[in-house]
Amino acid sequence: SVMPEKIDYVFKVVVIGDSAVGKTQILSRFTKNEFCFDSKSTIGVEFQTRTVTIKSKLIKAQIWDTAGQERYRAVTSAYYRGALGAMVVYDVTKRQSFDHVARWVEELRAHADNSIVIMLIGNKADLVELRAVPTEDALEFAEDQGLFFAETSALNGDNVDKAFFQLLEEIYGVI
Ligand code: GDP
Ligand code: MG
């Protein structure tokens, strides 16, 4: 029989951002390669995991979802505790969700470790006709704030794995 492989590291990653930007679907795409068309705001599931290989190490990504606590300042500090990485998600078709990104980053800086790796994610990039946030605006903000940046579609899967792998590799580089 094959020996079970041993996990080298567990990386806690938190996903934050306004309600309905697609946080739960991004997580579902990365951990199960699924998109759920009739998703309700699921309460109770704290995190999902996926184990990946990075630089020959077996890394279990433990990815936390806010599950309906997205109101400003409603996310408790326990949620951020021990997080090595964060995805701050906005919806490229909703300008307001991008305008709120600064608040979410502030929340992270207040509650999470200083060394946390932050990636800004513009989701729903498949909705080309409805785009309200130009890529350049987000890129400029990300550069200003020292964040990594990607545009994704949880619906068709574009860039989701790539963004997570980049984040996990960056975390591996700083631990
Ligand atoms: P959350 O509140 O941030 O967790 O958002 P959800 O993951 O529940 O998604 C909110 C809504 O946006 C749902 O109706 C999803 O089907 C839809 N959605 C999520 N991601 C995408 C995407 O990449 N593209 C499109 N077109 N719709 C998406
Ligand atoms: Mg959700």
Side-chain angles (χ1 to χ4, degrees), residues 97-164:
S97 72
F98 177 68
D99 294 337
H100 288 167
V101 160
R103 292 184 185 177
W104 287 109
V105 172
E106 251 176 63
E107 283 276 286
L108 276 175
R109 306 247 192 251
H111 295 288
D113 288 356
N114 284 331
S115 58
I116 193 165
V117 180
I118 307 173
M119 181 170 258
L120 178 65
I121 299 285
N123 188 46
K124 308 196 190 180
D126 56 283
L127 298 175
V128 177
E129 305 288 313
L130 297 173
R131 180 185 282 268
V133 182
T135 304
E136 305 77 61
D137 290 16
L139 211 69
E140 191 185 322
F141 180 84
E143 276 172 12
D144 253 33
Q145 297 278 320
L147 318 176
F148 296 93
F149 170 63
E151 288 184 347
T152 60
S153 168
L155 178 62
N156 64 27
D158 276 358
N159 263 343
V160 174
D161 267 21
K162 195 171 170 216
F164 272 103

Side-chain angles (χ1 to χ4, degrees), residues 60-81:
K60 183 188 272 191
Q62 184 189 78
I63 305 149
W64 290 60
D65 192 6
T66 48
Q69 308 161 306
E70 292 99 334
R71 278 172 304 107
Y72 186 46
R73 300 229 158 116
V75 178
T76 62
S77 55
Y79 183 76
Y80 298 106
R81 193 164 302 137

Side-chain angles (χ1 to χ4, degrees), residues 18-22 89-98 101 121-125 127 130-133:
D18 282 7
S19 186
V21 296
V89 185
Y90 67 93
D91 175 343
V92 299
T93 73
K94 293 260 159 24
R95 182 74 205 189
Q96 184 175 254
S97 72
F98 177 68
V101 160
I121 299 285
N123 188 46
K124 308 196 190 180
L127 298 175
L130 297 173
R131 180 185 282 268
V133 182

Side-chain angles (χ1 to χ4, degrees), residues 31-42:
T31 60
K32 297 178 286 197
N33 199 18
E34 280 175 13
F35 184 90
C36 187
F37 282 94
D38 59 351
S39 72
K40 303 260 182 312
S41 40
T42 36

